[in-house]
Amino acid sequence: MFESLSEKLSRTFKKLRGQGRLTEKNIEEALKEVRMALLEADVNYKVVKKFVEDIRQSAMGQEVLDSLTPGQQVIKIVHEELIRLMGGTRQELDLTGRTPFTLMLVGLQGSGKTTTAGKLALHLRKKGRNPYLVPADIYRPAAIEQLKKLGSQLGIPVHDTDKNRKPEDTCQEALARAGTAGADILILDTAGRLHIDDELMAELVRIKQRVSPTEILLVADAMTGQDAVNVAKHFNDLLDISGVILTKMEGDARGGAALSVKAVTDKPIKFIGVGDKLDALEPFYPDRLASRILGMG
């Protein structure tokens, strides 16, 4: 994860640490390298521009230039800015108020929505919740069967979806049945398309109007970099998402999506998928990821 970005940044900072004294010139050179590393990592160019400018403002202060370990000071500033860029603190799911809570998963086809629904159900059950899986994708062949299979593997109930009913009717019916299923959280696995289209969005808006979800979580493939960020922006503009789940993070050597999505959508990353296994879903901690990117463990 983030291998190439980590390598480039650690090379840049090694040079900085080797300087006995920092000047505006060598900070500028380091920032040029940081900028290149971030652009090559497929971070949104507007995000890179602001990020580098914020570091420049802090790093050019006299207390940094005059300190005994100026190189370390600059790395500390970069670390703090990275944390801020990714949202600052861990953002939990909003599970306050009346049950059942409804988590609506949205996203493009192939982003890993159905598997993520299973992973999220398992994560919530470990937290003492009683999830109920709702297959609301009636278009993709075997989408309903896939979720039923995941549910039986995990021992989590799955709504019996009728393929001939409209997805918004199915979701409303599932909400009404949640109580009898002993569930306090519904996870709606909605349909995706290969690209964003009006028909898909209209359906998702109808589901949102019918069930008033507690959270709308966009599931996006981290390995698609800037595309994932553009998708997040579109879904956010139309549905006002509450957060993002980035999948396939374990295969993302660049990290552009993770570093851009909060700045572009102003919505937090809440979870990251880090493997194929059903327990490979982790809560997202900006500080831990920033440390990882900078090789701080």
Side-chain angles (χ1 to χ4, degrees):
M1 201 196 292
F2 296 173
E3 205 177 336
S4 56
L5 178 60
S6 292
E7 274 175 25
K8 284 173 192 146
L9 290 179
S10 67
R11 276 204 303 272
T12 303
F13 294 139
K14 201 172 176 184
K15 278 188 222 163
L16 265 190
R17 276 200 293 259
Q19 308 276 352
R21 184 162 173 70
L22 280 194
T23 61
E24 289 193 11
K25 185 171 179 285
N26 48 33
I27 288 178
E28 276 301 340
E29 280 166 11
L31 286 179
K32 199 182 281 181
E33 287 177 31
V34 168
R35 184 173 167 276
M36 279 308 298
L38 291 170
L39 288 172
E40 283 170 20
D42 205 16
V43 178
N44 178 286
Y45 75 96
K46 286 183 184 167
V47 173
V48 173
K49 192 177 171 190
K50 185 176 185 319
F51 181 74
V52 170
E53 192 45 49
D54 289 346
I55 294 168
R56 178 184 283 112
Q57 296 293 336
S58 305
M60 294 295 193
Q62 268 329 106
E63 66 275 18
V64 173
L65 295 175
D66 292 345
S67 79
L68 293 171
T69 56
Q72 298 284 37
Q73 292 282 90
V74 174
I75 294 163
K76 182 172 175 281
I77 290 164
V78 173
H79 185 242
E80 285 164 4
E81 286 297 332
L82 272 176
I83 294 171
R84 202 173 59 79
L85 186 65
M86 291 187 283
T89 54
R90 157 98 187 115
Q91 296 287 315
E92 301 283 350
L93 291 173
D94 177 20
L95 302 178
T96 52
R98 282 180 59 193
T99 59
F101 304 110
T102 308
L103 309 181
M104 180 177 169
L105 302 190
V106 300
L108 294 185
Q109 211 168 301
S111 59
K113 246 191 335 299
T114 303
T115 311
T116 299
K119 288 179 176 181
L120 192 56
L122 177 62
H123 170 81
L124 290 165
R125 193 180 58 192
K126 285 178 180 171
K127 299 268 182 199
R129 297 285 181 180
N130 296 310
Y132 185 50
L133 290 163
V134 183
D137 180 357
I138 57 172
Y139 313 104
R140 182 167 71 85
I144 296 172
E145 282 67 32
Q146 188 188 348
L147 201 61
K148 281 183 175 169
K149 193 177 169 189
L150 286 171
S152 85
Q153 263 177 273
L154 297 166
I156 289 170
V158 180
H159 185 71
D160 191 16
T161 295
D162 179 349
K163 283 182 184 169
N164 301 313
R165 296 197 68 192
K166 287 180 180 169
E168 58 268 33
D169 293 337
T170 295
C171 293
Q172 195 171 18
E173 178 189 77
L175 188 57
R177 281 201 195 159
T180 49
D184 58 1
I185 293 185
L186 277 80
I187 299 173
L188 312 181
D189 178 29
T190 65
R193 296 275 195 286
L194 292 172
H195 53 84
I196 292 163
D197 65 17
D198 295 343
E199 204 182 317
L200 168 70
M201 285 304 175
E203 178 178 292
L204 295 174
V205 167
R206 288 196 300 273
I207 293 172
K208 179 184 176 178
Q209 287 166 345
R210 286 285 192 90
V211 300
S212 302
T214 317
E215 295 247 4
I216 300 178
L217 299 167
L218 173 79
V219 180
D221 179 346
M223 290 176 74
T224 59
Q226 273 313 289
D227 282 348
V229 178
N230 295 333
V231 165
K233 189 175 182 326
H234 274 293
F235 273 90
N236 189 44
D237 289 347
L238 289 155
L239 290 167
D240 188 24
I241 62 173
S242 56
V244 177
I245 299 177
L246 281 181
T247 61
K248 307 177 196 175
M249 282 283 281
E250 76 285 359
D252 181 22
R254 296 182 304 169
L259 289 168
S260 311
V261 81
K262 173 71 170 72
V264 172
T265 63
D266 198 30
K267 297 295 162 74
I269 299 169
K270 297 209 169 183
F271 293 94
I272 52 175
V274 291
D276 296 331
K277 292 189 174 142
L278 286 170
D279 59 358
L281 184 77
E282 295 179 358
F284 181 74
Y285 291 93
D287 54 342
R288 292 180 192 176
L289 205 61
S291 298
R292 203 164 170 175
I293 291 168
L294 296 178
M296 299 173 172

